[in-house]
Amino acid sequence: MTITGILPVIPTPFDRGQFDAASFRRLLDHTLASVDGYTLLGSTGEAPSMSTRERMDITEAALAMVPQDKTVVVGVTHTSLHESVRLAQHAARHGAAGVLCASPYYFPNTRDGLRGYLAELSASVDIEVVFYDNPTPTATAVTIEQVLEYAAGIARLNTVKLTDHGLAKVPAWQQAGLTVLGGDDPILFRYLAAGVDGVMVIAPAIFPDAFRETWQLARAGRLAEAFAVFSAEILPFLHVFGIGDEIATSKAVLREIGVFASDEVRLPLVGVDQRRRELLAEAYRLCRERTAARTASGSAGAEPAAAR
């Protein structure tokens, strides 16, 4: 199965330390009409702070709530190959279309070691393995040729989530038959302009309708119109969203708009302060006002009245 389209990464809602299923349901209601699926328990899902059992329980509960016509990819990155395999097999049993795996963090990964890790993971399941090219937290940089070598020898590795800012990877991998997904909100429009096949970012979880419009225009080659929507209705929020504290900020705004009951995060993470919360709320309000103005005018891609 090809993994493409709008697959927002989902912050995991907590209530007193436990998965908050009611908040997750509200998030589905907020986004379902505008997305193609979801990415669960990646970096934004706080998976590294959870036990394997907890990750399985959340995966099972979430997959049971997501309609079957949506594509769900579950993060299985772990420092233990054994645990990654357990997580992947569990996700496959419960209906995931694919699993997302970054280079095991902490280790000084070698080319052969990473190949072996991904090969064994792929051999353990019959669903897609999405390689997560995320060099900063994993301290592992991979080259264009390295991923092509991996994909040639690993049957189910056909998709890469690209958080690296080396956008030359996009056409090189696509020309070789791989699917490439944009994976970093701060340069999100650059991924769209580069022609990625989908995205795994947070913005569509916050602004599902505006991002869907942006995506459709970009896919149609109408980049100027896409950027008009994106810059007016999404970008103000990304300016205060942050780099490195996206979990706390995304949870804060989802609580502010009534989707999450709590913006609780797992230690060692900490929540945002009041000033940051106010900036996030103001940016969200501005973006939504501009979307409402454009919708009222009935002109996709046109500059909304509130932005003039």
Side-chain angles (χ1 to χ4, degrees):
M1 180 178 180
T2 302
I3 307 294
T4 59
I6 303 172
L7 306 169
V9 290
I10 302 302
T12 303
F14 292 120
D15 180 12
R16 289 165 291 186
Q18 303 300 312
F19 175 63
D20 182 356
S23 288
F24 184 80
R25 168 55 66 187
R26 287 191 294 272
L27 183 62
L28 295 183
D29 293 341
H30 176 65
T31 57
L32 271 172
S34 298
V35 304
D36 300 300
Y38 301 93
T39 306
L40 306 177
L41 295 169
S43 306
T44 310
E46 294 173 88
S49 64
M50 300 179 192
S51 69
T52 297
R53 181 70 263 165
E54 185 177 19
R55 290 168 71 168
M56 288 180 174
D57 290 345
I58 292 173
T59 295
E60 191 169 342
L63 281 168
M65 286 188 273
V66 177
Q68 292 186 357
D69 64 341
K70 299 296 182 181
T71 299
V72 178
V73 177
V74 176
V76 299
T77 302
H78 204 288
T79 51
S80 162
L81 174 59
H82 175 75
E83 296 304 291
S84 284
V85 166
R86 288 183 62 204
L87 290 163
Q89 291 176 337
H90 177 270
R93 286 197 302 272
H94 289 277
V99 293
L100 175 68
C101 187
S103 305
Y105 44 88
Y106 181 79
F107 299 106
N109 292 301
T110 64
R111 189 176 186 127
D112 289 344
L114 182 55
R115 181 199 300 110
Y117 192 106
L118 294 171
E120 289 204 28
L121 176 65
S122 179
S124 73
V125 292
D126 58 0
I127 58 176
E128 286 293 300
V129 172
V130 180
F131 175 61
Y132 189 179
D133 182 2
N134 193 7
T136 299
T138 63
T140 302
V142 297
T143 65
I144 291 172
E145 294 75 20
Q146 185 175 350
V147 171
L148 292 178
E149 176 190 315
Y150 292 168
I154 302 174
R156 295 185 184 88
L157 201 167
N158 302 298
T159 306
V160 183
K161 175 183 176 179
L162 182 63
T163 299
D164 186 8
H165 293 186
L167 296 185
K169 291 177 173 180
V170 177
W173 286 339
Q174 288 175 328
Q175 288 164 17
L178 296 181
T179 297
V180 184
L181 309 175
D184 198 14
D185 286 88
I187 65 163
L188 178 50
F189 198 83
R190 291 188 64 205
Y191 289 121
L192 302 185
V196 292
D197 303 290
V199 293
M200 288 179 166
V201 290
I202 298 174
I206 310 295
F207 303 103
D209 47 356
F211 189 83
R212 168 59 68 176
E213 185 70 24
T214 299
W215 173 253
Q216 290 174 331
L217 289 167
R219 294 293 284 175
R222 297 160 63 183
L223 282 177
E225 293 170 82
F227 191 64
V229 176
F230 181 84
S231 61
E233 302 173 32
I234 299 172
L235 191 55
F237 177 79
L238 295 186
H239 278 311
V240 296
F241 180 55
I243 298 175
D245 55 358
E246 301 94 336
I247 297 173
T249 55
S250 57
K251 287 189 175 187
V253 78
L254 287 168
R255 179 186 179 187
E256 178 71 24
I257 65 177
V259 174
F260 280 8
S262 167
D263 57 1
E264 180 181 331
V265 295
R266 279 282 174 88
L267 290 171
L269 300 181
V270 295
V272 299
D273 60 26
Q274 184 58 33
R275 179 56 182 151
R276 186 71 173 285
R277 194 180 305 276
E278 291 169 359
L279 281 172
L280 291 163
E282 177 61 19
Y284 181 84
R285 181 197 62 77
L286 175 63
C287 292
R288 293 304 295 158
E289 284 182 356
R290 291 176 171 182
T291 297
R294 175 174 58 84
T295 302
S297 72
S299 54
E303 183 184 12
R308 296 190 184 117

